Amino acid sequence: RVRLVQAGGGTVQAGGSLTLTCVISETPSTTESMAWFRQVPGELREGIACIDGAGSTSYVDPVKGRFTIAWDSTKRTVALQMNSLKPEDTAWYYCAAALKAPDSARAFDFYAYNYWAQGTQVTVSS
């Protein structure tokens, strides 16, 4: 069974940076794709960045150019580097793993991901 453990998050001023990490507790070959989602209370959880086993990445427009998703060399950890943070980035952030890489149309589909981490809060003050 895949288990995901997140670390990072916290409070930062606008314009600052934070890094979130997600450790995968099983062999990388079983997990084909990883993604980061975020959720504001009262709203749906939205996908913001994803990466497949080959390292191909995709981002939604609000974070493009500011956030970077990347594997480490062992492919047991996925990081989300967040730069130039804005107050509207304030949310709970979750990493997710897919046993089968979703096609591009479903890259940010909640139901395409099989396992979820516990989440971590990111607060950006103005």
Side-chain angles (χ1 to χ4, degrees):
R1 177 178 169 80
V2 174
R3 182 166 174 261
L4 308 178
V5 179
Q6 271 181 242
T11 300
V12 66
Q13 287 190 329
S17 298
L18 283 173
T19 301
L20 307 180
T21 59
C22 181
V23 178
I24 309 162
S25 66
E26 53 91 59
T27 55
S29 61
T30 307
T31 303
E32 291 196 358
S33 183
M34 299 290 295
W36 287 93
F37 285 68
R38 66 185 182 187
Q39 187 171 23
V40 175
E43 298 184 10
L44 295 175
R45 192 172 297 186
E46 61 170 355
I48 58 172
C50 64
I51 186 168
D52 66 14
S56 295
T57 59
S58 184
Y59 302 91
V60 294
D61 285 345
V63 307
K64 201 172 291 183
R66 299 188 298 123
F67 290 11
T68 302
I69 186 172
W71 294 103
D72 73 343
S73 59
T74 67
K75 287 193 177 176
R76 286 187 177 275
T77 300
V78 173
L80 183 69
Q81 175 67 41
M82 305 184 291
N83 297 327
S84 302
L85 283 162
K86 304 175 182 179
E88 51 262 44
D89 294 318
T90 295
W92 276 85
Y93 284 71
Y94 300 85
C95 74
L99 297 177
K100 181 179 179 181
D103 57 38
S104 58
R106 299 190 66 214
F108 299 120
D109 182 345
F110 175 92
Y111 296 102
Y113 293 86
N114 307 96
Y115 299 100
W116 293 83
Q118 78 278 16
T120 187
Q121 189 165 17
V122 171
T123 302
V124 184
S125 61
S126 57

